[in-house]
């Protein structure tokens, strides 16, 4: 019955004259090598616009890999991806080799290109050195060891980029499954975007728009081909109609998905995914063992530091030496960055701005009194870093190299200090002078709770009391997620019931967790809030991330501003070299609590790690040495007064500011702007192309061409004059562009005869068959007219006036419509 219906529709929409049945064409033989067969390699039935969309999808993925900056020299991926797309297109269109032979050939070609690119980038073109590095890596892999050779990672990621581009073209044009291609590229894109600043999400926006348009274009092409097989007719420009609607729908879907809430987690799926025995975790562990990248943010066994801290399972830290430290005062905790926002699953930092810090410029201390500790830090095996963090005791005061200070936009508290340039690499060395609090126990016990501290009116302009808490600090560092277990607060109040000062309550919380057992074998149940689970449903075994989080949350429940800091514990002292040796197993997290007037004070809640010792009274007095800074730094003759950093809207600042969102440099901001501008231009060009194809579509073919000629010439300052015939106008255009005169004269003649010649007469182009020449002639003239328009953009000078005129005419028409609906006056009724 379905076949009968199809046949009925076929006869209804087919031509009146029956067409003879076409015999089934035999399978064509494999063509020989010729110029025509070579041209067929780059001829796509789906249209070149589909190839443009595939290219956009692939390159948005590759660019996300490049901005993630896993290793150096990732710029080679641009050429490698282009070669992969080209070879994929040739492999799809060729008919000389079978598919079973093409796939191994693509695999080998990808390895050869990656070998060539890696040797050129990392070994100055020496293929022998790269071969030796590959052999050494293979020996390490077979022996079960760990490798940290960046060139191996560059080799693999270059080969993968070639194969990704090749597979994308193959899946679309040969396998006919563009959805699989989009899922494959999308997975790679999301993995990389999770490790880059938020501004690079523009790649995701471009990817989604191109992917949705590609699905629409491919689905429409398949439908039109099926309709033609059934004998059904459709408009030739139907594809552009669908693409116009598809572009608008794609933009709407992407924007809507951007603003809708997310973070839905399926508990059953998450439980399966989080198991250490699932295949993905096993592959990830093997990858991290064989490819430990120095320059990237792959979770390295020596510690991995990113802008977020998610509480999960075993971090799998190893004992590789990370730093060798020479300290002027014992072992010191080295901090990377501080987190202020807890969402019930992990920590993140609120928006920041960056301040360029020249070499040798001092950072003012956030509290006093402090004493200066000098450290010389040598990088042996660099940690994993999302940004180029400089590790130093809290708080860093002065560095021997240019750096960037990240400051919280909400509180103007320092969040981290970044290296200006590349991330830490093996062999790097830097010297830092840090401020360490000199406040003794009795001094800290005198600091009141924020609820008991003095409150000042908003218009207060006098000197701030020492025990004053800034409201922005309280708002940021007392934040807690909604629906937190109320038993956490109850337990915190019970544990600190006998303590009467804020410092004593913090010590009580610290001592409580030091009675737990330190273990990295943690299995957090899916959907559980980590602090509540640790306190009430675990076996009291966890590692530093959990202890630091639990103490910070309980401190906030009691009204104490608290945050979590990550970095490294002091390590072990080497009596031979007189240096502190810090290993990967010392990657650590601890808690800081804010005391008014004295800044952030460190606390160590993790069992098995050395606790922070408080100075004795007057241990670091300025009379003993010149390394102490008090509330009045000018009283110390040996210590220069540190210059203030230029905070936003600070009129007293002497240095220049760089107010970038989330600590972005001006180069990153410029790249975001350029990417956004390119994307906007691409959307405008796409909309113009759709409008241009639909222009004058209700007119006959020659009228459409003549109308477009008039429009382009008018934009170039050669508009049609009044009482000017088509022949006269075309003749005038031919004088301006004599090289195009034959084509223009021919098109003008076809238009005139099509318009005024009697239908059916020999002079009419439709009768003589000359109408079939019009599309080919227009395809030759159109790009040359656009090129002339680019050289003579007369329309740009008139555009503002035309826009004002259009608005004026539009307002006049609206006013006329309103007046036409007004009721007649009484005098007008009397006249009637």
């Amino acid at each position: 019955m379905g076949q009968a219906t199809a046949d009925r529709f076929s006869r209804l929409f087919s031509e009146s004259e029956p067409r003879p049945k076409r015999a089934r064409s035999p399978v064509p033989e494999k063509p020989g090598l010729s110029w025509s067969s070579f041209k067929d390699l780059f001829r796509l039935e789906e249209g070149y616009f589909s190839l443009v969309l595939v290219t956009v999808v692939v390159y948005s993925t590759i660019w996300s890999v490049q901005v993630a900056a896993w290793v150096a020299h990732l710029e080679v991926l641009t050429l490698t991806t282009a070669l992969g797309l080209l070879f994929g297109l040739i492999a799809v269109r060729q008919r000389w080799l079978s598919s079973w032979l093409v796939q191994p050939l693509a695999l080998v070609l990808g390895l050869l290109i990656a070998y060539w690119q890696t040797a050129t980038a990392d070994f100055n073109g020496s293929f022998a050195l790269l071969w030796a590095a590959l052999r050494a890596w293979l020996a390490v892999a077979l022996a079960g060891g760990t490798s940290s050779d960046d060139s191996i990672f560059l080799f693999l990621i270059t080969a993968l980029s070639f194969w990704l581009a090749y597979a994308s073209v193959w899946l679309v044009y040969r396998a006919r499954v563009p959805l699989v291609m989009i899922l494959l590229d999308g997975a790679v894109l999301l993995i990389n975007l999770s490790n880059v600043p938020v501004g690079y999400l523009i790649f995701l926006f471009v990817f989604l728009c191109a992917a949705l348009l590609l699905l629409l274009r491919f689905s429409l092409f398949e439908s039109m081909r099926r309709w033609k097989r059934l004998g059904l007719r459709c408009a030739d420009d139907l594809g552009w109609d669908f693409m116009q609607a598809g572009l608008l729908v794609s933009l709407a879907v992407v924007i809507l998905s951007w603003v809708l809430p997310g973070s839905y987690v399926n508990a059953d799926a998450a439980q399966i995914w989080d198991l250490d025995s699932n295949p993905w975790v096993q592959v990830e562990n093997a990858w991290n063992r064989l490819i430990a990248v120095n320059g990237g943010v792959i979770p390295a066994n020596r510690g991995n530091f990113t802008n977020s801290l998610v509480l999960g399972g075993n971090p799998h830290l190893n004992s590789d030496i990370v730093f060798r430290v020479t300290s002027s005062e014992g072992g010191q905790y080295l901090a990377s960055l501080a987190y202020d926002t807890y969402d019930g699953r992990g920590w993140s930092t609120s928006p920041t701005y960056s301040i360029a810090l020249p070499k040798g410029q001092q950072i003012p201390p956030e509290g006093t009194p402090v004493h200066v500790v000098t450290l010389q830090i040598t990088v042996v095996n660099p940690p994993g870093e999302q940004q180029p963090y400089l590790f130093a005791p809290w708080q860093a005061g002065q560095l021997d190299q240019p750096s960037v200070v990240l400051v919280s936009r909400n509180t103007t508290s320092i969040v981290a200090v970044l290296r200006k340039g590349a991330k830490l690499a093996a062999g790097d060395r830097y010297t830092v002078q840090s401020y360490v609090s000199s406040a003794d126990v009795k001094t800290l016990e005198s600091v009141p709770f924020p609820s008991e501290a003095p409150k000042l009116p908003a218009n207060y302009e006098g000197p701030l009391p020492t025990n004053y808490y800034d409201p922005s600090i309280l708002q940021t560092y007392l934040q807690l997620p909604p629906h937190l277990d109320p038993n956490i607060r109850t337990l915190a109040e019970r544990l600190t019931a006998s303590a009467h000062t804020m410092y004593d309550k913090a010590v009580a919380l610290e001592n409580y967790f030091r009675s737990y057992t330190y273990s990295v074998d943690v299995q957090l149940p899916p959907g559980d809030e980590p602090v509540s689970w640790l306190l009430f449903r675990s076996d009291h075994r966890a590692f530093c991330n959990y202890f630091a989080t639990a103490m910070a949350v309980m401190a906030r429940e009691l009204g104490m501003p608290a945050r979590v800091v990550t970095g490294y514990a002091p390590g072990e002292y080497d009596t031979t070299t007189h240096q502190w040796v810090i290993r990967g197993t010392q990657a650590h997290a601890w808690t800081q609590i804010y005391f008014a007037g004295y800044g952030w004070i460190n606390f160590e809640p993790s069992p098995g790690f050395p606790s922070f010792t408080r100075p004795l009274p007057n241990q670091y007095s300025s009379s003993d040495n010149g390394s102490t800074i008090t509330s009045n730094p000018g009283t110390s003759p040996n210590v220069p007064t540190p210059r203030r950093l230029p905070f936003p809207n600070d009129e007293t600042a002497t240095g220049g500011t760089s107010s970038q969102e989330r600590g972005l440099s001006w180069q990153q901001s410029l790249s975001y702007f350029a990417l956004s501008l390119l994307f906007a231009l691409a959307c405008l060009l796409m909309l113009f192309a759709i409008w241009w194809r639909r222009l004058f579509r209700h007119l006959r073919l020659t009228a459409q061409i003549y109308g477009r000629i008039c429009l382009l010439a008018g934009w170039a300052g050669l508009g049609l004059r009044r009482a000017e015939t088509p022949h006269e106008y075309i003749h005038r255009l031919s004088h301006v562009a004599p090289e195009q005169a034959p084509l223009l004269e021919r098109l003008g003649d076809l238009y005139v005869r099509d318009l005024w010649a009697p239908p059916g007469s020999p002079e009419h182009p439709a009768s003589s068959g000359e109408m079939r020449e019009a599309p080919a002639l227009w395809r030759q003239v159109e790009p040359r007219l656009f090129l002339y328009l680019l050289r003579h953009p007369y329309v740009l000078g008139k555009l503002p006036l035309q826009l004002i005129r259009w608005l004026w005419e539009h307002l006049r028409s609206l006013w006329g419509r309103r007046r036409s609906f007004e009721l007649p006056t009484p005098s007008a009724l009397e006249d009637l």
Side-chain angles (χ1 to χ4, degrees):
M1 182 174 179
Q3 183 62 36
T5 304
D7 293 338
R8 191 177 302 113
F9 272 101
S10 176
R11 289 193 298 270
L12 180 63
F13 290 98
S14 60
E15 299 176 355
S16 56
E17 296 182 3
R19 292 178 295 180
K21 277 189 175 182
R22 293 176 54 189
R24 188 171 182 179
S25 59
V27 177
E29 298 180 357
K30 295 181 179 179
L33 291 174
S34 63
W35 173 246
S36 60
S37 61
F38 180 77
K39 290 192 299 183
D40 289 340
L41 289 177
F42 304 100
R43 187 173 299 163
L44 294 174
E45 298 178 1
E46 298 84 355
Y48 290 107
F49 184 64
S50 64
L51 182 60
V52 171
L53 294 176
V54 171
T55 304
V56 171
V57 168
V58 173
Y59 265 104
S60 60
T61 304
I62 297 300
W63 287 334
S64 70
V65 177
Q66 291 176 323
V67 299
W70 302 101
V71 288
H73 306 301
L74 284 180
E75 63 275 4
V76 302
L77 299 186
T78 302
L79 176 60
T80 304
T81 304
L83 295 176
L85 291 171
L86 179 62
F87 183 77
L89 184 60
I90 295 175
V92 166
R93 299 294 300 165
Q94 64 84 30
R95 292 297 181 268
W96 307 301
L97 302 176
S98 64
S99 300
W100 297 105
L101 187 59
V102 170
Q103 309 304 339
L105 183 61
L107 185 66
V108 173
L109 184 60
L111 291 174
L112 292 177
I113 292 177
Y115 193 87
W116 162 57
Q117 294 276 51
T118 306
T120 303
D122 278 358
F123 297 96
N124 294 324
S126 175
F127 297 102
L129 291 178
L130 177 57
W131 178 250
L134 286 172
R135 291 179 59 185
W137 173 78
L138 184 61
V140 170
L142 295 177
T146 301
S147 172
S148 58
D149 191 347
D150 286 1
S151 60
I152 303 301
F153 183 81
L154 179 63
F155 170 75
L156 293 178
I157 203 170
T158 305
L160 288 174
S161 66
F162 177 89
W163 294 330
L164 180 67
Y166 167 79
S168 299
V169 176
W170 184 274
L171 289 172
V172 172
Y173 296 110
R174 176 60 69 90
R176 320 295 295 181
V177 283
L179 182 59
V180 176
M181 183 274 289
I182 292 171
L183 293 177
L184 177 64
D185 286 78
V188 178
L189 178 75
L190 293 178
I191 291 173
N192 289 277
L193 289 184
S194 62
N195 294 294
V196 300
V198 67
Y200 286 112
L201 286 179
I202 185 66
F203 290 137
L204 179 61
F205 190 81
V206 174
F207 176 89
L208 291 176
C209 290
L212 290 173
L213 288 176
L214 178 63
L215 288 176
L216 177 64
R217 176 68 178 171
F218 198 86
S219 177
L220 179 63
F221 173 78
E222 294 292 332
S223 299
M224 293 178 67
R225 191 164 65 173
R226 185 170 63 253
W227 296 340
K228 289 181 180 179
R229 285 200 304 264
L230 296 175
L232 303 177
R233 292 182 179 179
C234 60
D236 293 335
D237 57 352
L238 181 64
W240 286 103
D241 293 340
F242 272 80
M243 293 304 293
Q244 180 184 17
L247 177 62
L248 299 177
V249 171
S250 300
L251 292 175
V253 168
V254 171
I255 294 174
L256 184 63
S257 62
W258 204 285
V259 299
L260 285 178
S263 303
Y264 169 75
V265 177
N266 183 280
D268 296 332
Q271 185 175 7
I272 297 175
W273 187 255
D274 290 339
L275 291 177
D276 288 340
S277 59
N278 78 72
W280 173 255
V281 172
Q282 296 176 0
V283 171
E284 185 179 21
N285 291 338
W287 176 269
N288 292 337
R289 177 177 63 85
L290 297 176
I291 308 294
V293 182
N294 294 339
V297 290
I298 293 177
N301 291 336
R302 296 184 294 269
N304 185 51
F305 301 90
T306 65
N307 291 339
S308 61
L309 179 66
V310 179
L311 301 182
N314 193 332
H316 300 289
L317 299 172
N318 63 20
S319 298
D320 291 348
I321 298 177
V322 181
F323 299 120
R324 288 187 176 271
V325 180
T326 301
S327 172
S328 64
E329 185 182 306
Q332 300 290 330
Y333 279 73
L334 303 184
S336 62
L337 75 162
Y339 302 101
D340 53 30
T341 304
Y342 180 64
D343 61 1
R345 295 292 297 177
W347 292 87
S348 61
T349 57
S350 58
T352 61
Y353 61 90
S354 61
I355 301 174
L357 190 69
K359 175 183 176 180
Q361 180 176 343
Q362 288 183 313
I363 307 172
E366 294 184 314
T368 55
V370 294
H371 59 279
V372 177
V373 176
T374 303
L375 283 80
Q376 294 179 350
I377 301 175
T378 302
V379 181
V380 181
N381 292 295
E385 297 180 293
Q386 182 173 349
Q387 299 189 64
Y389 302 113
L390 287 173
F391 293 79
W394 200 272
Q395 163 206 345
Q398 184 179 0
L399 293 112
D400 64 344
Q401 57 183 275
S403 55
V404 176
V405 181
L406 290 188
V407 182
S408 171
R409 190 173 292 276
N410 297 336
T411 64
T412 66
S413 295
I414 296 176
V415 173
V417 178
L418 307 181
R419 190 181 192 185
K420 197 169 186 178
K423 301 172 184 177
L424 293 177
D428 287 347
R429 180 178 300 175
Y430 62 95
T431 301
V432 57
Q433 291 183 351
S434 292
Y435 304 123
V436 178
S437 177
S438 303
D440 55 78
V441 173
K442 186 176 181 180
T443 301
L444 294 176
E445 288 178 341
S446 66
V447 179
F449 270 91
S451 58
E452 303 169 356
K455 305 294 188 297
L456 299 178
N459 58 353
Y460 180 79
E461 298 181 356
L464 296 177
T466 305
N467 54 359
Y468 172 73
Y469 287 90
D470 191 305
S472 63
I473 294 222
L474 299 181
Q475 181 180 0
T476 301
Y477 295 104
L478 291 178
Q479 169 269 339
L480 288 170
H483 313 299
L484 197 63
D485 189 350
N487 293 321
I488 298 175
R489 181 185 182 91
T490 303
L491 178 61
E493 292 175 344
R494 181 170 60 83
L495 293 175
T496 60
S498 59
H500 302 291
T501 66
M502 188 170 80
Y503 176 77
D504 292 335
K505 289 182 181 291
V507 171
L509 295 177
E510 180 186 40
N511 293 334
Y512 170 72
F513 289 109
R514 294 184 71 83
S515 64
Y516 280 45
T517 301
Y518 194 92
S519 173
V520 294
D521 296 326
V522 174
Q523 296 292 334
L524 178 65
D528 270 22
E529 192 275 319
V531 176
S532 177
W533 169 81
L534 174 65
L535 295 175
F536 308 114
R537 293 182 296 280
S538 72
D539 56 357
H540 289 189
R541 300 168 62 90
F543 55 93
C544 56
N545 294 353
Y546 287 86
F547 294 127
T549 298
M551 180 175 176
V553 169
M554 297 178 78
R556 290 185 177 189
E557 288 280 20
L558 297 177
M560 295 184 283
R563 66 184 185 182
V564 169
V565 180
T566 57
Y568 285 93
E572 300 173 353
Y573 186 71
D574 187 347
T575 56
T576 303
T577 60
H578 303 288
Q579 291 179 325
W580 291 86
V581 179
I582 299 177
R583 301 180 181 274
T585 50
Q586 267 92 42
H588 196 49
W590 62 95
T591 308
Q592 287 184 339
I593 296 179
Y594 186 81
F595 288 77
Y598 301 94
W600 293 100
I601 304 299
N602 295 310
F603 290 87
E604 178 55 276
S606 297
F609 284 83
S611 58
F612 292 93
T613 57
R614 309 297 171 204
L616 299 175
N618 301 320
Q619 181 179 351
Y620 297 98
S621 62
S622 58
S623 59
D624 295 337
N625 54 60
S627 61
T628 299
I629 298 178
T630 63
S631 58
N632 184 12
T635 61
S636 178
N638 298 324
V639 180
T641 302
R643 291 182 293 170
R644 290 189 56 208
L645 288 178
F647 295 118
N649 304 321
D650 189 352
E651 297 179 356
T652 65
T654 58
T657 62
S658 176
S659 178
Q660 303 294 341
E661 186 69 18
R662 296 187 180 272
L664 302 179
S665 63
W666 68 268
Q667 294 94 335
Q668 289 175 316
S669 300
L670 183 61
S671 63
Y672 296 159
F673 174 77
L675 289 172
S676 302
L677 184 62
L678 289 176
F679 180 69
L681 290 176
C683 291
L684 290 176
L685 288 176
M686 191 177 299
L687 290 173
F688 176 80
I690 294 173
W691 172 78
W692 185 252
R693 288 294 298 263
R694 293 171 56 88
L695 188 63
F696 306 132
R697 58 182 301 184
H698 60 284
L699 302 178
R700 63 186 71 188
L701 179 60
T702 56
Q704 293 180 28
I705 295 175
Y706 182 75
R708 290 190 173 96
I709 292 175
C710 294
L711 192 59
L712 290 176
W715 288 347
L718 301 172
L720 182 64
R721 300 169 183 170
R722 291 192 177 186
E724 191 172 28
T725 65
H727 270 308
E728 294 172 342
Y729 184 54
I730 292 294
H731 187 67
R732 181 158 62 91
L733 296 181
S734 300
H735 278 290
V736 176
E739 66 278 2
Q740 309 301 327
L743 296 175
L744 292 173
E745 295 285 357
R746 180 62 173 164
L747 288 172
D749 179 66
L750 291 175
Y751 169 67
V752 171
R753 288 193 286 131
D754 184 30
L755 188 62
W756 282 293
S761 64
E763 292 81 9
H764 198 279
S767 301
S768 61
E770 297 173 285
M771 188 68 74
R772 292 191 294 269
E773 301 177 14
L777 294 173
W778 173 241
R779 283 195 294 269
Q780 298 180 52
V781 172
E782 184 181 25
R784 300 171 185 178
L785 290 179
F786 272 108
L787 182 61
Y788 183 86
L789 175 60
L790 291 177
R791 295 174 179 174
H792 307 82
Y794 173 83
V795 67
L796 296 180
K798 298 293 183 180
L799 188 61
L801 295 177
Q802 293 292 338
L803 182 60
I804 295 175
R805 181 180 178 183
W806 178 83
L807 291 174
W808 172 252
E809 295 293 340
H810 189 64
L811 292 175
R812 286 186 60 185
S813 63
L814 291 178
W815 177 259
R817 292 176 186 176
R818 192 184 70 84
R819 292 291 300 273
S820 64
F821 286 101
E822 290 181 355
L823 294 176
T825 61
S827 59
L829 291 176
E830 291 177 0
D831 294 339
L832 291 175

